Structures are given as structure tokens and as C-alpha cells.
């Protein structure tokens, strides 16, 4: 992660510093500038203690950038601070000082770096409580992780802050919807259309490749053509419900990003007339948020991140809502750390699959990779034909299309999940 101005990332503190500067060398102008830039970057990464070893003094904008980094990544006896460094965390405990710092980092660093620094400030300096103040929320760079933090603070949030918090969440949700909705609808509509195969298709619905292959025995060499006795094509999926989808989402604290993405996808799926979508969230209790699916922001504020996990109870509820097993897809999104009855959980999955339900297990629905998860439970589900794997938001439409069509799921790094 670099910037045009500083070329440094917040997490570079454990890199090795440059060696002593050889001032006897006589580099050309170009190599001299490159060396100065390299030393400048090391100075920003390592802090004030490196001023002598780098021979670099910061002024102006660079000094201001160094101040912003010092406020967050300084030592000062704080967890994660640099040993032997004179840096000390300097954000203070007031919303105005933090808001000024947030404004500074947005000035000096690109959005992707700002989001990382915000997360670090919340984790390292205990600033979660300050997110309950409207002026603080107005200064932050909104992203999925910030939404997760806000949702975890939802119950403690004063009324004066809730409207601002909803505006922050709305911005992130709208951005995700623009990114994901069109492709999701197109992918699943195609899958549903392919399910509506007919042997008397209209001309524009004929699958010519399959039709020609099915009629090769009727090839007439004297005419150089095939007589298509049997036409194969796809009908357009009717507007009646073709598939039932149940999203069952673990809302324990570690699943925050997955809850955000799943809520957006739930709203997208619910907008499709050919799907009947149900969204269920759970910890040790089960909450059905299906009636709020027209607005993912309402869904998110209906969740309660944190607490224990009872997957068995959640699956029991989902199982009770299945009326057409052969046309139902159940998506469990969980790290599988079960606090309920393990054997019953596995028996429910086995029963659903035996009845014809397509069961999908996602360890995460986010861009963060595979989280920590219960490997024993994942292996047991895999043995039942429901392999557990982490899924990115970009892959999710393909996973759902495969489940709808009852074909092999596009599991990333499949060998690792076998």
C-alpha cells in the first residue's frame, strides 16, 4: 500500500531500516533523487528515532503526515507500539481531536489506506465509544468494517446519533448494491432460464449448439445441412416462483462483514419475482428478518452482533420453513463454532439434503479470506456433501447459480476443502 506523496503503509513498522548512508558515493542526479525518496519513506515509516540514521528531516506536508502516523502508531506504552520509539499515541479522548485527525488522514492518504488506519484506531486506541457521537461519524470514511462496528454499538447508540449512523450505513449499502446487484440478478436469471428447458422453443430461444449436436444423425451431405427433427432450447423463466432461498446468517461478532454483504444480497434476491427469499439471523436466539428485506439497512439494524452461537436452533427454524425441498436452497453463513447440539445440527443438514434441499455452507461472505473456523464441523459437513468454504461477494452469484441448477459449486481452492 503506497501513496503518491508518502509511499508508505501504516503496517510497515516491522520492516528493517536502511543501513548507514554512504556519503562518499557520488550518485548521479537521478539515483540521488531516488535515494532521497527512499530515505524519506523510511523516515516516515520508522518515526523520529530514525532521523539520524536516515539523515532525513521532515518539513511541511511530510511533517504533518508524520504527525498523523505518530498519533496512531506511536509507542507510548500502548499495545502495538514500537519499542524504543519516542512516538506516543496522541489522538486523545475527545471527538473534536479525533475528527481533526480523521480529516488529516483523508487529506494525506488514499481511501484504502484511510480505512485501514480507521480500523487500527478503533482496535488499538479504543475509539469505539466515540463513534456514538454524530460529529465523529460525519468525519469517518465509510466502509464495510465501519458498518460492522456501528452495528455492534447499535444498542448503546443514543438517539442523537442513530440518524447519522443510518446515513453512514446507507452510503455503504448503496455502494455495495451498485457493485453487486446487476450481476447477481443477471447470473441467477440465466440459471433460472436454463432450468426452463423446452423441446418446442420459439425461434429466438433455440439453443443451436445443442440442437445441432442432437440432430447430427440427420445430416444430409448432399445438401450440407442437418434436419433438426428435435429442437432444444430454453424457455424464459415464468414470473411465478421457481426456487426458495433461505439465507441463515451467524451474527456473532466475528461475522460482521459477512452480515453486511449477506443483507445486501438478501435484498437483491428478494427483489427477484422468481425467487422466494427468507433471511434469518442467529446467535443463541433466532430472528427472522424476511419482512424487512425490501431495505437492507433495516435488516442490518435488526441484527445484534456478538453473543454466542446456536447453529442447530437456527437450522431447526429454517427446516420448519421448507415446503418444497427439491426447489429450496439453504445457505448457512457461519464460522461453525457451534454452541448448541453438534450431532443434531449435522443430522438436520443430512435430513435436508436427503429431502432434496441444496445446502451451501459459507465460512465467510467477504473479501477478507477464510476466517478462523471449526475444522471438525467443516469436515463433518463436507462428508455430508456440504463442503464449507469462504466466498467473496464477487463469487457469490456464481455459487447461487450453481446451487439453483444443482450442479457442482465453484469452490475456490477446492482441494483445500476436500
Amino acid at each position: 500500500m503506497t501513496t503518491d506523496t508518502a509511499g508508505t503503509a501504516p503496517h510497515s513498522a516491522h520492516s528493517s531500516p536502511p543501513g548507514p548512508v554512504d556519503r562518499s558515493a557520488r550518485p548521479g542526479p537521478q539515483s540521488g533523487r531516488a535515494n532521497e525518496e527512499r530515505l524519506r519513506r523510511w523516515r516516515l515509516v520508522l518515526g523520529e528515532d530514525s532521523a539520524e540514521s536516515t539523515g532525513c528531516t521532515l518539513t511541511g506536508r511530510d511533517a504533518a503526515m508524520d504527525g498523523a502516523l505518530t498519533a496512531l502508531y506511536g509507542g507510548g506504552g500502548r499495545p502495538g507500539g514500537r519499542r524504543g520509539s519516542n512516538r506516543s499515541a496522541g489522538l486523545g479522548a475527545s471527538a473534536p481531536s479525533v475528527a481533526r485527525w480523521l480529516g488529516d488522514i483523508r487529506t494525506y492518504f488514499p481511501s484504502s489506506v484511510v480505512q485501514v488506519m480507521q480500523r487500527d484506531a478503533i482496535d488499538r486506541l479504543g475509539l469505539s465509544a466515540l463513534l456514538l457521537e454524530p460529529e465523529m461519524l460525519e468525519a469517518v470514511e465509510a466502509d464495510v468494517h465501519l458498518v460492522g462496528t456501528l452495528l455492534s454499538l447499535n444498542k448503546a447508540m443514543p438517539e442523537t446519533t442513530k440518524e447519522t449512523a443510518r446515513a453512514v450505513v446507507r452510503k455503504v449499502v448503496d455502494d455495495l448494491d451498485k457493485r453487486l446487484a446487476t450481476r447477481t440478478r443477471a447470473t441467477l436469471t440465466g440459471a433460472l432460464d436454463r432450468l426452463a428447458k423446452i423441446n418446442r422453443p420459439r425461434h429466438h430461444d433455440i439453443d443451436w449448439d445443442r440442437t445441432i449436436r442432437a440432430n447430427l444423425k440427420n445430416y444430409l451431405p448432399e445438401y450440407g445441412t442437418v434436419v433438426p427433427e428435435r429442437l432444444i432450447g430454453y424457455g424464459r423463466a415464468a414470473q411465478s416462483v421457481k426456487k426458495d432461498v433461505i439465507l441463515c446468517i451467524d451474527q456473532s461478532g466475528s461475522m460482521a462483514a459477512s452480515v453486511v454483504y449477506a443483507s445486501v444480497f438478501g435484498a437483491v434476491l428478494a427483489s427477484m419475482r422468481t425467487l422466494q427469499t427468507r433471511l434469518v439471523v442467529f446467535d443463541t436466539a433466532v430472528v427472522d428478518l424476511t419482512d424487512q428485506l425490501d431495505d437492507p439497512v433495516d435488516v442490518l439494524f435488526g441484527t445484534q452482533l456478538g453473543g454466542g452461537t446456536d447453529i442447530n436452533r437456527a437450522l431447526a427454524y429454517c427446516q420448519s420453513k421448507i415446503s418444497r425441498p427439491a426447489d429450496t436452497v439453504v445457505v448457512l453463513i457461519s464460522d461453525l463454532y457451534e454452541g448448541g447440539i453438534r450431532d443434531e445440527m449435522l443430522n438436520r443438514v443430512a435430513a435436508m439434503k436427503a429431502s432434496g434441499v441444496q445446502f451451501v455452507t459459507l465460512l465467510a461472505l467477504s473479501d477478507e479470506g477464510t476466517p478462523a473456523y471449526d475444522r471438525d464441523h467443516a469436515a463433518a459437513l463436507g462428508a455430508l456433501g456440504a463442503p464449507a468454504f469462504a466466498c467473496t461477494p464477487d463469487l457469490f452469484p456464481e455459487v447461487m447459480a450453481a446451487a439453483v441448477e444443482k450442479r457442482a459449486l465453484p469452490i475456490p481452492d477446492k482441494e483445500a476443502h476436500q
Side-chain angles (χ1 to χ4, degrees):
M1 216 167 4
T2 61
T3 73
D4 291 337
T5 303
T8 185
H11 294 296
S12 301
H14 300 292
S15 304
S16 300
V21 179
D22 182 3
R23 302 190 183 278
S24 64
R26 295 180 178 275
Q30 191 66 31
S31 61
R33 284 193 295 271
N35 190 52
E36 289 176 4
E37 176 62 16
R38 175 172 171 270
L39 292 174
R40 168 182 166 273
R41 294 183 181 215
W42 275 113
R43 168 61 182 83
L44 284 166
V45 168
L46 297 174
E48 186 178 355
D49 281 358
S50 67
E52 183 176 350
S53 63
T54 59
C56 182
T57 301
L58 301 179
T59 59
R61 184 182 179 88
D62 286 348
M65 292 175 67
D66 187 55
L69 291 168
T70 297
L72 176 56
Y73 297 108
R78 303 251 183 176
R82 299 184 181 87
R83 293 182 181 178
S85 173
N86 290 329
R87 286 189 174 191
S88 59
L91 293 185
S94 67
S97 64
V98 177
R100 283 193 297 272
W101 178 80
L102 287 168
D104 287 343
I105 65 174
R106 291 171 72 176
T107 299
Y108 303 132
F109 302 99
S111 177
S112 58
V113 176
V114 169
Q115 291 170 7
V116 171
M117 294 179 74
Q118 286 178 173
R119 272 177 257 155
D120 287 348
I122 292 169
D123 294 340
R124 294 164 62 97
L125 303 180
L127 298 182
S128 295
L130 291 177
L131 292 177
L132 303 180
E133 302 187 29
E135 62 269 28
M136 176 72 166
L137 282 177
E138 290 171 356
V140 295
E141 186 86 16
D143 68 346
V144 169
H145 302 280
L146 178 66
V147 170
T149 301
L150 290 177
L151 296 179
S152 68
L153 298 171
N154 184 25
K155 302 304 179 184
M157 194 174 291
E159 290 299 323
T160 54
T161 304
K162 285 189 175 180
E163 185 175 344
T164 306
R166 286 185 71 90
V168 171
V169 174
R170 172 74 63 191
K171 179 181 183 301
V172 174
V173 166
D174 288 347
D175 288 345
L176 290 177
D177 185 74
K178 290 175 185 176
R179 168 188 161 192
L180 302 170
T182 300
R183 181 166 171 265
T184 300
R185 292 191 187 98
T187 301
L188 284 171
T189 297
L192 292 166
D193 283 347
R194 287 190 290 275
L195 290 176
K197 292 184 293 187
I198 56 175
N199 289 326
R200 292 181 178 272
R202 291 173 294 181
H203 185 270
H204 61 274
D205 287 329
I206 295 173
D207 183 336
W208 287 108
D209 183 61
R210 294 179 65 219
T211 295
I212 291 171
R213 280 199 252 169
N215 291 278
L216 284 176
K217 62 182 180 180
N218 301 320
Y219 178 67
L220 300 177
E222 62 271 26
Y223 293 101
T225 189
V226 170
V227 177
E229 289 183 350
R230 184 165 69 94
L231 298 176
I232 300 175
Y234 303 122
R236 298 300 170 191
Q239 293 304 303
S240 59
V241 172
K242 295 297 182 184
K243 292 286 182 178
D244 297 338
V245 176
I246 301 176
L247 300 178
C248 186
I249 310 167
D250 183 344
Q251 61 175 351
S252 58
S254 61
M255 302 298 294
S258 297
V259 171
V260 176
Y261 281 113
S263 298
V264 173
F265 276 117
V268 173
L269 298 180
S271 70
M272 300 179 64
R273 295 181 182 179
T274 48
L275 297 176
Q276 179 171 290
T277 303
R278 183 176 295 275
L279 188 142
V280 176
V281 298
F282 68 92
D283 40 39
T284 52
V286 180
V287 180
D288 192 326
L289 297 175
T290 303
D291 61 349
Q292 299 178 39
L293 271 176
D294 58 332
D295 188 346
V297 175
D298 288 340
V299 171
L300 288 170
F301 277 94
T303 64
Q304 184 173 338
L305 293 176
T309 307
D310 193 337
I311 303 173
N312 178 55
R313 175 177 290 186
L315 292 182
Y317 178 82
C318 294
Q319 194 174 20
S320 72
K321 297 300 179 181
I322 297 174
S323 58
R324 304 188 304 152
D327 293 314
T328 299
V329 178
V330 174
V331 182
L332 171 65
I333 304 174
S334 173
D335 55 17
L336 301 179
Y337 286 111
E338 170 65 318
I341 305 173
R342 177 185 189 273
D343 290 342
E344 281 193 19
M345 174 189 76
L346 296 174
N347 288 338
R348 291 189 191 282
V349 175
M352 281 189 270
K353 287 189 64 64
S355 69
V357 171
Q358 293 298 107
F359 196 92
V360 179
T361 310
L362 301 181
L363 300 170
L365 177 56
S366 71
D367 288 311
E368 300 175 337
T370 305
Y373 65 96
D374 190 306
R375 295 181 180 275
D376 290 338
H377 288 162
L381 287 171
L384 295 174
F389 59 97
C391 178
T392 65
D394 289 333
L395 181 62
F396 185 74
E398 299 296 337
V399 170
M400 289 302 300
V404 163
E405 295 184 76
K406 298 186 178 182
R407 53 183 171 83
L409 300 178
I411 301 174
D413 194 13
K414 189 171 183 178
E415 292 182 1
H417 296 281
Q418 290 180 339

